Amino acid sequence: MVDFNPGYIHSWKTRLQIVDGFKVKNLSDILERVSNKQSRNPLEDAYALHLPQFIPMFINQVNTFRNNFDVSIGFTHIHNDIHFGNVIFQQGSPEILALIDFDMAQYDHSIVEFNNIIFATGEGTVDSITYDITRIIHIFKIVIEAYQNCIENQLSPQELSNAWETLRCRILENAYKSIVHPHSARDSLQFNIEDRVLWFNNILYLVGSFPESIDM
């Protein structure tokens, strides 16, 4: 995306602005509310049981992001929604002819594009990609290796670290929005209560197991 300029950009939040928007008090308020209810649905039961351990893990992951993410690296115009549905390939060939759908283009860290590419290897959303941290690491390494094989100037250690941190930010954002703003979270209305309980248990595991760094 070097020298890419879409002619207009949206004011979508940068990774740091997303993290700055996390308000732990909102999570604590939800815990207090469900804890004081005499009659709870299964999802509220899960929140009452697990939010006490989820909140410290969430705070720890936010602090890890802040410590590891280098905000000085490469701001540029990015597509911001790269997935297979927005890539036109030469018929019968892996050659890319064009990128389409620049509605989410913005000015942000160039490394953010890895975030979207990596999650595009799943079924479309963070909820459906996987809760297996081993698979996430595997996909991350495959995408990074493929990219490194296509460029002359290899990514620096800090750029690699930033790429990993964008994944951390994505998972934390999805977890936060789905708990605090469930009706604005993507695809949330497709889930019934039992599905949401399963999702919460899975995201609890993923946030707790997401490593500070990985070996490349």
Side-chain angles (χ1 to χ4, degrees), residues 130-141 205-206 209 211:
T130 181
Y131 297 101
D132 183 352
I133 189 61
T134 302
R135 182 164 180 245
I136 290 177
I137 293 173
H138 178 66
I139 294 171
F140 177 82
K141 289 185 174 182
Y205 162 76
L206 187 55
S209 63

Side-chain angles (χ1 to χ4, degrees), residues 100-111:
I100 61 174
D101 190 3
F102 289 85
D103 287 349
M104 294 183 66
Q106 75 171 96
Y107 195 64
D108 200 352
H109 291 86
S110 57
I111 214 75

Side-chain angles (χ1 to χ4, degrees), residues 140-183:
F140 177 82
K141 289 185 174 182
I142 288 176
V143 171
I144 294 296
E145 181 180 2
Y147 178 80
Q148 299 277 53
N149 289 337
C150 295
I151 62 173
E152 294 183 5
N153 298 321
Q154 301 292 284
L155 295 171
S156 69
Q158 190 55 58
E159 286 175 318
L160 290 172
S161 175
N162 268 18
W164 183 244
E165 292 307 314
T166 63
L167 297 189
R168 189 189 315 276
C169 178
R170 175 74 169 270
I171 289 168
L172 293 176
E173 179 187 22
N174 185 262
Y176 180 86
K177 288 174 62 178
S178 295
I179 295 171
V180 177
H181 305 293
H183 297 298

Side-chain angles (χ1 to χ4, degrees), residues 17-28:
Q17 289 171 330
I18 289 172
V19 171
D20 286 342
F22 297 152
K23 307 300 181 186
V24 175
K25 184 179 184 302
N26 290 336
L27 296 172
S28 300

